[in-house]
């Protein structure tokens, strides 16, 4: 069964982009189609999200860096334009998950993941977390929470994704495909 999933992200230093690519690759490995979308084109290959992308997709993975426990302003500005989708109920019952990156272990990832969830819940989307059956969730010394995939980039925002963080991102993509197929 074919599923098309949007992996929507904003990335300032590359960490959230790396997470988005891991999630997208995992979706593709499960036979799904992953549409990588950003809020602002920073690279020539970046594709900016449109409301039609959301309407036509079967599910969504959404991530930004943490900004004092909240989503990046670029993402917030976009979600503020989606009242017309909300009024028509065009995202209701679509599965979704969230992911984030911060520069420190206590930099607000969990609060940001909850903040990222709010517009999705308002749109009636079905929010998924990371279940504890994912062994890396219990082993990680950096990012990864039951609320969604996360990464700790370090004070210079230069830390690469850890093996546990990669596995958690991959599990998020796999689960999004699995749940989306069940709902179809």
């Amino acid at each position: 069964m074919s599923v098309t999933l949007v992996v929507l992200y904003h990335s300032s230093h590359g960490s959230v982009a790396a997470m988005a690519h891991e999630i997208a690759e995992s979706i593709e490995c499960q036979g799904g189609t992953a549409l990588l979308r950003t809020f602002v084109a920073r690279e020539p290959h970046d594709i900016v999200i449109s409301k039609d992308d959301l309407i036509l997709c079967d599910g969504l993975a959404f991530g930004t860096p943490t900004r004092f426990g909240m989503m990046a302003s670029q993402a917030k500005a976009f979600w503020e334009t989606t009242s017309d989708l909300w009024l028509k109920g065009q995202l209701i019952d679509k599965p979704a998950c969230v992911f984030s990156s911060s520069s420190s272990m206590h930099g607000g990832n969990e609060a940001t993941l909850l903040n990222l969830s709010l517009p999705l819940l308002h749109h009636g989307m079905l929010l998924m977390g990371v279940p504890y059956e994912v062994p890396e969730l219990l082993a990680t010394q950096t990012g990864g929470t039951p609320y969604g995939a996360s990464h700790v980039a370090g004070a210079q925002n230069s830390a690469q994704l850890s093996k546990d963080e990669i596995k958690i991102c991959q599990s998020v993509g796999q689960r999004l495909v699995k749940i989306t197929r069940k709902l179809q």
Side-chain angles (χ1 to χ4, degrees):
M1 194 175 315
S2 177
V3 297
T4 300
L5 303 169
V6 168
V7 181
L8 174 60
Y9 69 96
H10 174 72
S11 189
S12 296
H13 300 285
S15 294
V16 177
M19 295 175 77
H21 285 273
E22 288 293 341
I23 293 168
E25 184 178 315
S26 177
I27 289 167
E28 298 278 338
C29 286
Q30 297 295 311
T33 300
L35 304 176
L36 282 163
R37 298 293 186 264
T38 62
F39 297 100
V40 178
R42 293 174 175 247
E43 302 292 331
H45 62 273
D46 287 346
I47 301 172
V48 175
I49 187 73
S50 72
K51 288 192 252 182
D52 282 340
D53 289 329
L54 291 179
I55 293 167
L56 299 174
C57 77
D58 298 310
L60 172 71
F62 166 43
T64 78
T66 184
R67 297 291 183 255
F68 301 103
M70 296 179 285
M71 72 179 74
S73 62
Q74 295 85 346
K76 186 175 184 301
F78 172 77
W79 286 108
E80 288 178 357
T81 71
T82 63
S83 292
D84 55 331
L85 305 183
W86 174 75
L87 287 168
K88 295 176 187 170
Q90 291 179 292
L91 305 182
I92 291 174
D93 291 341
K94 291 186 183 199
C97 58
V98 293
F99 57 103
S100 182
S101 177
S102 66
S103 59
S104 67
M105 188 61 133
H106 302 289
N109 271 328
E110 288 185 342
T112 301
L113 293 167
L114 293 171
N115 182 255
L116 294 171
S117 302
L118 296 178
L120 310 183
L121 292 169
H122 273 271
H123 276 285
M125 299 184 88
L126 304 173
L127 193 62
M128 301 181 329
V130 179
Y132 278 97
E133 73 178 6
V134 176
E136 292 78 12
L137 192 59
L138 294 169
T140 185
Q141 295 296 305
T142 54
T145 80
Y147 308 128
S150 65
H151 169 64
V152 178
Q156 304 303 313
N157 293 306
S158 59
Q160 300 297 308
L161 299 179
S162 72
K163 289 179 183 177
D164 288 337
E165 291 169 340
I166 290 170
K167 289 287 193 180
I168 292 168
C169 286
Q170 291 170 347
S171 74
V172 164
Q174 292 166 0
R175 188 161 187 240
L176 188 56
V177 170
K178 176 182 165 185
I179 298 303
T180 303
R181 284 187 174 137
K182 282 185 175 184
L183 291 170
Q184 288 181 333

